[in-house]
């Protein structure tokens, strides 16, 4: 036992933890007992080019004037239980240079919030001219193999000023 099985030799693994090469996918895979999965899960990414705004002063996933109901991304926690969550957007505040627009990640496991949106973890901006804002954050203590969802959450520091978000993106990178 041991080694990496050459491409095209196996369709079913011989034992849990066995590795195989694939030519069609160009990746190393590991047998988990019932399926071949990527040995090293890559980053996952979601984006929207459709601008939207909020006047909510509390975090919300919903933006107005957009076809996207919420920007979400599902990811599987790696064996380390740690990932880097990145997010960003072109951010502006209509008619105000002092009101702040905040975009922060919320991470859930099923219906349980494990990381709530927070200004300390936000990409923030202000001003009538859109500026690209982004941030990256390390998230630890995830349960390996569990599927989590990260949702882009948004808020404005004033209910009377529209905070705009355009070219939004989310990315999760596993850490090993």
């Amino acid at each position: 036992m041991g080694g990496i099985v050459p491409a095209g030799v196996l369709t079913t693994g011989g034992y849990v933890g066995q590795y195989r090469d694939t030519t069609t996918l160009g990746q190393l895979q590991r047998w988990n007992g019932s399926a071949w999965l990527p040995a090293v899960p890559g980053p996952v990414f979601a984006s929207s080019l459709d601008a939207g705004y909020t006047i909510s002063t509390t975090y919300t996933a919903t933006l107005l004037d957009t076809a996207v109901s919420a920007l979400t991304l599902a990811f599987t926690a790696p064996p380390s239980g740690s990932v880097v969550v990145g997010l960003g957007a072109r951010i502006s505040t209509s008619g105000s240079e002092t009101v702040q627009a905040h975009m922060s990640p919320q991470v859930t496991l099923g219906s349980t919030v494990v990381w709530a949106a927070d200004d300390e973890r936000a990409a923030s901006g202000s001003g009538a001219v859109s500026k690209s804002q982004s941030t990256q954050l390390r998230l630890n203590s995830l349960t390996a193999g569990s599927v989590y969802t990260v949702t882009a959450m948004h808020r404005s520091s004033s209910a009377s000023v529209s905070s705009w978000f355009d070219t939004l993106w989310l990315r999760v990178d596993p850490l090993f």
Side-chain angles (χ1 to χ4, degrees), residues 9-173:
V9 173
L10 284 180
T11 56
T12 302
Y15 57 91
V16 173
Q18 185 174 23
Y19 290 92
R20 77 172 181 180
D21 187 17
T22 65
T23 53
T24 55
L25 298 174
Q27 68 180 203
L28 182 64
Q29 294 182 327
R30 184 175 186 273
W31 181 253
N32 73 355
S34 60
W36 289 104
L37 300 174
V40 179
V44 289
F45 184 84
S47 65
S48 171
L49 300 177
D50 195 13
Y53 73 94
T54 187
I55 55 172
S56 174
T57 57
T58 59
Y59 277 104
T60 179
T62 304
L63 292 175
L64 305 172
D65 197 26
T66 181
V68 179
S69 59
L71 185 62
T72 63
L73 179 64
F75 67 95
T76 301
S80 67
S82 297
V83 297
V84 173
V85 177
L87 75 155
R90 286 182 34 229
I91 297 174
S92 65
T93 51
S94 296
S96 174
E97 296 298 316
T98 57
V99 169
Q100 293 218 330
H102 303 282
M103 178 181 175
S104 181
Q106 176 174 283
V107 179
T108 55
L109 178 59
S111 61
T112 303
V113 175
V114 296
W115 219 27
D118 186 290
D119 290 354
E120 292 293 320
R121 294 188 285 266
S124 303
S126 62
V129 177
S130 293
K131 298 167 205 72
S132 292
Q133 305 291 335
S134 66
T135 191
Q136 293 185 348
L137 308 151
R138 183 178 177 137
L139 175 57
N140 300 306
S141 303
L142 300 173
T143 302
S146 294
V147 177
Y148 292 82
T149 301
V150 60
T151 302
M153 304 293 283
H154 315 86
R155 79 173 197 86
S156 177
S157 64
S158 170
S160 62
V161 175
S162 298
S163 289
W164 283 88
F165 302 86
D166 191 8
T167 317
L168 297 83
W169 59 269
L170 293 168
R171 179 177 168 148
V172 176
D173 291 271

